[in-house]
């Protein structure tokens, strides 16, 4: 994202930015949905004076932060990474030696052994084996109440069980020894998780920008922490137990948030088939090594009709101005015209011509002339920044904001945080529609997250 596109930081975000910029502390930036974690990360990437490398656990997450995947940046092998030395090329070592600050987004999806592999890679490449991360500052962004790592299986699971308290990043040995108990408050106020030596500062953003109603915020917190009372459940279920209204011009669109891809695809296809007129297909242009289709940021073949409900997948490239952006990632509109290489979309009573956009896949490199890191473009994906949006999976709704949504949990939530993610996309309780009442079994909180965050709160952070 261009720096002119970034919204200004709140005082809370600015204070945390200065903490990251002015110290060498390892910082885990967390917070409830809508507190502006992504805004702070983008501001840091554009405004830091440090040599920074940004990475994420998945290809799509790396694209969203204009960074590189963890495995690609550190040249890590696929599968379980044990405690042996890693093969490192000279170019890779030069990159790792040039990093001042490593930023990891969606840290909650990073397994403990990957966290330790990052630590070991940096110690080895920088020849500073006694220092956590080889002296590199590590700044992590994410919310373990929303996204979890993929649980290991088979022999990998047995290895993790033998060497770690859990497979979550916060139980990596760089923070704490194997099977270590929760840490204690140090004299300088940091939460020291370990015997290995890396103190971790946990900073929780508290100012919610998505919702304004204090009552709804309280309900979302209860879902987040898994402490939903009968009264809160009754209020949520009563509010959501309404027929979904027909879409009326001038009113906010309604999107269905479902647990599974097949449900989402079926809903979108049914609505698209119901529209008159021909289907028009926009095919993406892919150059370079962009990976498999599941790493694409948009549909390789986007099928549209006039009247289709679509969601924007990127912020308006024109940026923020006095009136704000024309659209943001997650805005929902209606296709009114398809012609001349553009798609016209009606948003909030105004029509905008949308052109294809380019997603760039980056790879870090070391420039010996300047002795600095560079970001080289290694692949490009060009497509309209749109997706059919009568429905979307709860997972893909992560980070989005909706005025009205139907939450369809089907046979039940199957992942910790899934119900919280779905409900917290909404700006108010008035916009909630439920296909069925919430059940106690839908409110899932991972026991290790509960244990870790309880230790954080006990430390006063």
């Amino acid at each position: 994202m261009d720096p002119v596109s970034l919204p200004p930081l709140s005082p809370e975000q600015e204070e945390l930015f200065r903490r990251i910029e002015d110290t060498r502390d390892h910082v885990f930036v967390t917070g409830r949905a809508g507190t502006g974690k992504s805004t702070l990360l983008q501001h840091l990437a554009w405004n830091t004076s440090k040599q920074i490398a940004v990475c994420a656990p998945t290809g799509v997450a790396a694209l969203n932060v204009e960074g590189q995947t963890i495995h690609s940046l550190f040249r890590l092998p696929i599968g379980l990474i044990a405690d042996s030395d890693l093969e490192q090329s000279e170019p890779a070592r030069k990159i790792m030696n040039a990093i001042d600050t490593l930023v990891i987004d969606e840290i909650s999806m990073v397994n403990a052994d990957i966290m330790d592999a990052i630590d070991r890679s940096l110690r080895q490449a920088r020849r500073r084996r006694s220092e956590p991360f080889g002296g590199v500052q590590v700044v992590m962004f994410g919310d373990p109440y929303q996204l979890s790592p993929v649980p290991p299986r088979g022999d990998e699971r047995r290895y993790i069980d033998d060497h770690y308290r859990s497979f979550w990043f916060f139980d990596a040995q760089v923070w704490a020894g194997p099977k270590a108990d929760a840490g204690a408050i140090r004299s300088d106020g940091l939460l020291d998780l370990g015997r290995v030596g890396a103190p971790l500062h946990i900073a929780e953003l508290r100012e919610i920008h998505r919702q304004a109603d204090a009552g709804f915020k309280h309900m979302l917190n209860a879902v987040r922490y898994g402490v939903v009372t009968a009264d809160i459940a009754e209020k949520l279920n009563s509010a959501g137990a309404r027929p979904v209204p027909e879409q009326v011009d001038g009113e906010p669109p309604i999107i269905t948030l479902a647990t599974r891809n097949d449900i989402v695809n079926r809903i979108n296809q049914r609505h698209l088939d119901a529209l008159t007129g021909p289907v028009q297909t926009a095919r993406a242009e892919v150059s370079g090594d962009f990976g498999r289709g599941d790493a694409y940021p948009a549909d390789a073949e986007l099928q549209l009709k006039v009247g289709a409900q679509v969601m924007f997948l990127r912020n308006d490239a024109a940026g923020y101005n006095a009136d704000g952006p024309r659209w943001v990632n997650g805005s929902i509109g209606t296709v009114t015209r398809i012609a001349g290489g553009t798609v016209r979309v009606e948003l909030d009573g105004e029509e905008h011509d949308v052109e294809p956009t380019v997603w760039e896949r980056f790879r870090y490199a070391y420039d010996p002339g300047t002795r600095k890191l560079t970001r080289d473009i290694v692949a490009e994906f060009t497509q309209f920044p749109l997706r059919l949006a009568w429905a979307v999976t709860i997972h893909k709704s992560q980070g989005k904001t909706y005025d009205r949504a139907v939450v369809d949990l089907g046979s039940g939530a199957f992942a910790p945080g899934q119900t919280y993610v779905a409900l917290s996309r909404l700006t108010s309780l008035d916009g909630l529609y439920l296909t069925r009442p919430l059940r106690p079994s839908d409110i899932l909180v991972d026991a290790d997250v509960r244990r870790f965050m309880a230790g954080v709160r006990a430390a006063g952070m």
Side-chain angles (χ1 to χ4, degrees):
M1 179 182 290
D2 190 275
V4 300
S5 303
L6 298 177
L9 295 186
S10 68
E12 178 186 47
Q13 292 167 326
E14 178 65 34
E15 181 180 0
L16 184 49
F17 168 69
R18 294 281 20 129
R19 174 64 184 262
I20 295 168
E21 183 70 4
D22 298 340
T23 75
R24 302 292 301 166
D25 291 343
H26 303 302
V27 182
F28 169 39
V29 180
T30 188
R32 290 164 287 179
T35 51
K37 296 182 292 295
S38 295
T39 297
L40 177 58
L41 188 156
Q42 291 163 350
H43 181 89
L44 173 65
W46 279 103
N47 293 281
T48 182
S49 61
K50 299 174 180 177
Q51 286 270 42
I52 193 172
V54 183
C55 61
T58 67
V60 172
L63 283 175
N64 289 338
V65 292
E66 299 183 342
Q68 196 170 341
T69 65
I70 292 170
H71 278 79
S72 173
L73 177 61
F74 291 97
R75 310 295 198 269
L76 297 177
I78 301 300
L80 182 70
I81 303 171
D83 55 2
S84 59
D85 275 1
L86 298 158
E87 292 187 12
Q88 293 179 331
S89 65
E90 184 62 25
R93 285 196 293 271
K94 286 182 177 179
I95 291 170
M96 284 184 262
N97 272 281
I99 298 173
D100 292 326
T101 298
L102 177 70
V103 175
I104 309 174
D105 195 28
E106 303 292 15
I107 187 62
S108 64
M109 297 178 68
V110 177
N111 289 64
D113 67 303
I114 299 297
M115 195 81 242
D116 281 335
I118 294 170
D119 170 48
R120 195 159 56 253
S121 295
L122 289 167
R123 293 189 199 221
Q124 181 180 326
R126 296 163 69 91
R127 298 177 182 176
R128 297 164 72 174
R129 293 180 181 262
S130 64
E131 292 185 66
F133 303 105
V136 171
Q137 178 188 31
V138 175
V139 180
M140 301 166 288
F141 289 79
D143 182 7
Y145 284 108
Q146 295 187 57
L147 287 175
S148 59
V150 177
R153 296 179 179 179
D155 287 342
E156 292 185 5
R157 182 61 190 242
R158 285 186 282 275
Y159 179 90
I160 294 294
D161 288 344
D162 284 344
H163 292 80
Y164 294 95
R165 184 168 185 175
S166 80
F167 52 81
W168 286 84
F169 77 95
F170 48 73
D171 281 328
Q173 294 177 20
V174 65
W175 309 124
K179 301 286 186 180
D181 292 328
I185 312 173
R186 302 185 341 170
S187 60
D188 57 4
L190 295 181
L191 184 67
D192 192 341
L193 295 182
R195 302 190 295 270
V196 172
L200 178 61
H201 176 77
I202 295 93
E204 186 167 11
L205 293 170
R206 301 185 184 279
E207 183 183 349
I208 297 176
H209 305 280
R210 183 172 294 148
Q211 295 93 17
D213 178 70
F216 189 39
K217 290 180 183 179
H218 174 71
M219 296 178 205
L220 292 178
N221 281 343
V223 176
R224 171 183 168 89
Y225 298 126
V227 290
V228 177
T229 63
D231 179 59
I232 291 173
E234 195 277 330
K235 288 178 179 176
L236 288 169
N237 285 328
S238 295
R242 298 170 289 158
V244 180
E246 294 292 328
Q247 185 67 52
V248 177
D249 289 345
E251 292 187 353
I254 303 174
I255 187 170
T256 295
L257 308 181
T259 54
R260 302 201 321 264
N261 272 309
D262 60 328
I263 298 172
V264 166
N265 293 337
R266 189 165 60 246
I267 292 171
N268 283 330
Q269 192 63 51
R270 184 179 75 243
H271 281 279
L272 187 68
D273 292 343
L275 295 174
T276 58
V279 172
Q280 300 199 46
T281 302
R283 291 177 174 82
E285 296 180 9
V286 184
S287 64
D289 181 14
F290 216 94
R292 303 186 308 272
D294 58 1
Y296 291 167
D299 293 336
E301 294 190 354
L302 174 64
Q303 293 190 329
L304 295 176
K305 287 183 180 180
V306 171
Q309 183 165 293
V310 292
M311 179 172 68
F312 283 84
L313 302 176
R314 297 192 79 171
N315 291 351
D316 179 11
Y320 284 75
N321 51 42
D323 299 321
R326 293 174 297 173
W327 60 77
V328 295
N329 185 1
S331 293
I332 300 174
T334 303
V335 174
T336 58
R337 182 173 177 267
I338 307 171
T342 64
V343 176
R344 185 166 294 170
V345 178
E346 186 272 323
L347 273 170
D348 300 324
E350 295 186 17
E351 294 189 350
H352 307 283
D353 286 331
V354 182
E355 298 180 345
T357 191
V358 179
W359 283 266
E360 298 168 332
R361 172 152 284 179
F362 295 98
R363 183 171 294 154
Y364 287 96
Y366 177 72
D367 184 338
T370 62
R371 298 184 179 181
K372 292 184 178 181
L373 289 178
T374 62
R375 280 192 316 163
D376 299 333
I377 298 171
V378 295
E380 292 184 343
F381 180 96
T382 305
Q383 178 61 288
F384 289 98
L386 302 170
R387 172 183 287 142
L388 291 178
W390 287 285
V392 67
T393 61
I394 293 171
H395 181 77
K396 287 183 178 176
S397 75
Q398 188 81 18
K400 309 295 193 299
T401 300
Y402 307 120
D403 291 320
R404 301 196 296 178
V406 179
V407 176
D408 182 358
L409 295 176
S411 58
F414 56 80
Q418 198 169 44
T419 301
Y420 172 65
V421 170
L423 296 177
S424 61
R425 301 308 96 199
L426 287 158
T427 56
S428 73
L429 190 60
D430 293 337
L432 173 64
Y433 300 86
L434 294 170
T435 59
R436 64 160 175 80
L438 297 175
R439 305 166 186 156
S441 58
D442 294 322
I443 312 300
L444 302 174
V445 180
D446 186 274
D448 291 300
V449 172
R450 198 191 299 269
R451 178 255 307 167
F452 171 70
M453 294 304 289
V456 171
R457 288 193 294 274
M461 299 183 183

